[in-house]
Amino acid sequence: MLLLVLLPLLAGVRAEAGWNDPNIVLEGNPQRWVQIPDPTPGDPVPHPPYDERWKSSEASIVVLVAALRETRCGQTLWNLFTKAEHPSRVWISVVQQNNLEDEDCVAAYCRLVGAKDDGASCPMVNQIRIKRMQASEAQGPVWARAQQKELVQPQDDFCMQVDAHTDAVLNWDTLMLEQWGMTKNEYAVISTYPTNAASDLGKNANNHWEMPHICEANLGPRGQISNKQASAAANLERPILAPLWAAGLSFSRCHAERNVPNDPMLKGIFSGEEYSRGARLWTHGYDFYSPTRPWIGTWYGPQKKNKGSWHTSPDDMRYAQERLMTLLHWPSSDQSQAAYDKMQGYSLGTRRSLQAYAKFSGLNTMTATKLAKKCILRYVPWETNHDVYAEYPNNKICLLYTSD
């Protein structure tokens, strides 16, 4: 009998967890709930937050929104301003791509709050940063989000990227900062598929706070990798490490946006956006965490009510695909110095390696092969600590790490 009990442990199989157990994740085939093991003494830990700014009501949050003919853009602004606990700290940066007949995002927001126009009489209008373009200029989501870099300022503390059809619970600003703080990681990125705003926002899904947890992706041709449907985690007492990044919700210190901006040369790229940015973020030292609660939601399918599309020339599309392949060291890709020189500012980081991310993410882009799916992960330390907290000029803490 004892041997039968020990066999699953010896084989590396985790025991099945109960529905109401804390910190559980769907894993295996067929899937079943298993409990995330507690850290063991001596395990590597992330670099803690540089300061406690996240606890302050004055910590600024910049919401980054790329909108292509989005009819819910104004409503998104209204949701985020009116539902924040401290709206004075919320700034919203919008990259708008509209046709002439489309309602302007700021004008729509001001209409919703009952202002006469989008001038000084409109509450919070001075906290909206907007770059207006024609829809005919659109070149896909990566290109649009690359324009966001112009709308992030040096003094900005935290950045949250969402879609232009987003809703949130009351006090979302404080709640998202608390999620980030619970990671105890300066380089944490809270990221997953947002919950369905129409039905599940703020709700206790399946009576055990079930949350989307992205831990597998589809391996497409020429580096075009796309996240698969999310698995699930439940009863989380803290955000948990995830192997993959999601574009629809990404909450972090703003230095992640400064250090790892979206690549404007990836015109037309849709499949491949999330994995390529995730690889860049992770190798720059950032870590992805699935949140514990559904504080941010989005509308899906026809409920998005967006009506935009874009056209990318064959030459631009070909170059973007080749650039994507070079970044990910795809088989037969151009790995020349000239190719890397063209990617300056948008390449992989040096705090961790692409080889390490292949193991962590379950996808080896260097051989174009899938590895084992991983929904329960351990923190992977940086390969060097000489530039910890380098994002803070004249800081003294980083001197503790220069002995590397």
Side-chain angles (χ1 to χ4, degrees):
M1 180 64 70
L2 179 61
L3 180 60
L4 292 175
V5 172
L6 289 175
L7 277 176
L9 300 176
L10 293 172
V13 178
R14 296 183 176 93
E16 186 166 356
W19 187 262
N20 295 314
D21 287 342
N23 304 315
I24 56 176
V25 171
L26 272 181
E27 190 181 64
N29 187 15
Q31 290 189 319
R32 59 198 181 94
W33 292 103
V34 298
Q35 194 163 39
I36 301 170
D38 291 329
T40 56
D43 280 353
V45 295
H47 303 292
Y50 176 74
D51 55 29
E52 295 190 339
R53 179 74 174 166
W54 63 275
K55 297 180 179 179
S56 170
S57 62
E58 297 181 357
S60 62
I61 300 175
V62 181
V63 183
L64 303 173
V65 179
L68 175 56
R69 304 196 66 200
E70 294 273 1
T71 62
R72 287 193 185 268
C73 186
Q75 184 180 358
T76 294
L77 272 59
W78 186 88
N79 291 337
L80 295 171
F81 279 133
T82 61
K83 297 182 181 182
E85 182 176 12
H86 303 286
S88 61
R89 68 164 167 206
V90 176
W91 298 76
I92 304 183
S93 296
V94 181
V95 176
Q96 176 177 275
Q97 304 150 97
N98 269 4
N99 282 347
L100 292 176
E101 68 270 20
D102 297 327
E103 186 175 23
D104 181 81
C105 184
V106 179
Y109 159 72
C110 292
R111 173 177 55 79
L112 288 169
V113 298
K116 295 180 180 179
D117 54 39
D118 58 2
S121 66
C122 182
M124 307 297 174
V125 72
N126 292 328
Q127 291 168 226
I128 302 172
R129 308 164 186 167
I130 186 164
K131 180 175 182 177
R132 294 180 172 93
M133 295 181 290
Q134 297 298 312
S136 58
E137 300 176 71
Q139 293 293 327
V142 186
W143 181 86
R145 289 178 175 129
Q147 314 308 309
Q148 295 171 168
K149 184 180 180 181
E150 302 174 22
L151 304 176
V152 177
Q153 298 183 1
Q155 72 274 17
D156 295 336
D157 294 317
F158 292 85
C159 286
M160 182 174 77
Q161 179 177 289
V162 295
D163 291 329
H165 33 269
T166 289
D167 200 356
V169 298
L170 284 174
N171 302 331
W172 67 266
D173 53 328
T174 301
L175 293 169
M176 288 303 295
L177 285 167
E178 289 175 354
Q179 290 285 308
W180 185 88
M182 282 193 286
T183 68
K184 300 181 180 180
N185 184 348
E186 170 67 26
Y187 298 90
V189 182
I190 303 295
S191 186
T192 191
Y193 294 143
T195 194
N196 191 321
S199 58
D200 300 323
L201 182 62
K203 294 182 179 178
N204 182 356
N206 294 327
N207 294 315
H208 67 165
W209 291 107
E210 196 167 306
M211 293 293 297
H213 181 50
I214 307 171
C215 46
E216 190 175 14
N218 291 311
L219 190 68
R222 299 172 64 83
Q224 296 183 65
I225 298 165
S226 57
N227 290 344
K228 291 190 72 170
Q229 182 177 349
S231 183
N235 298 327
L236 296 180
E237 298 173 323
R238 61 190 181 280
I240 59 170
L241 282 169
L244 300 164
W245 177 80
L249 174 60
S250 180
F251 186 99
S252 65
R253 292 272 202 183
C254 282
H255 55 62
E257 296 296 328
R258 301 185 192 104
N259 289 344
V260 195
N262 285 279
D263 187 350
M265 299 308 294
L266 293 184
K267 296 179 180 179
I269 294 296
F270 183 75
S271 293
E273 173 194 6
E274 292 174 311
Y275 191 85
S276 62
R277 183 119 192 272
R280 290 176 57 218
L281 283 163
W282 199 85
T283 57
H284 276 84
Y286 295 93
D287 296 288
F288 318 127
Y289 290 84
S290 296
T292 69
R293 298 291 185 268
W295 303 146
I296 304 296
T298 194
W299 281 277
Y300 288 98
Q303 291 182 312
K304 292 191 292 187
K305 297 185 179 180
N306 57 345
K307 50 186 178 180
S309 61
W310 69 88
H311 172 73
T312 302
S313 73
D315 286 345
D316 284 345
M317 191 73 225
R318 187 180 307 109
Y319 177 74
Q321 290 176 338
E322 291 172 353
R323 189 176 174 92
L324 186 65
M325 292 167 65
T326 295
L327 174 77
L328 300 176
H329 294 213
W330 199 261
S332 302
S333 62
D334 185 354
Q335 296 296 310
S336 67
Q337 187 60 49
Y340 279 97
D341 288 345
K342 292 178 182 177
M343 295 179 64
Q344 188 171 5
Y346 303 99
S347 58
L348 297 172
T350 58
R351 287 167 167 167
R352 297 188 184 110
S353 69
L354 183 62
Q355 290 82 359
Y357 189 55
K359 296 178 182 178
F360 189 81
S361 68
L363 287 164
N364 188 331
T365 58
M366 296 158 285
T367 59
T369 54
K370 287 193 70 169
L371 307 177
K373 174 182 174 181
K374 296 180 180 179
C375 292
I376 296 177
L377 297 156
R378 293 292 195 187
Y379 173 76
V380 176
W382 295 5
E383 295 175 11
T384 175
N385 288 318
H386 75 278
D387 62 346
V388 174
Y389 307 123
E391 294 78 12
Y392 300 91
N394 304 317
N395 75 82
K396 297 179 180 180
I397 298 180
C398 67
L399 298 177
L400 299 173
Y401 295 92
T402 56
S403 60
D404 276 13

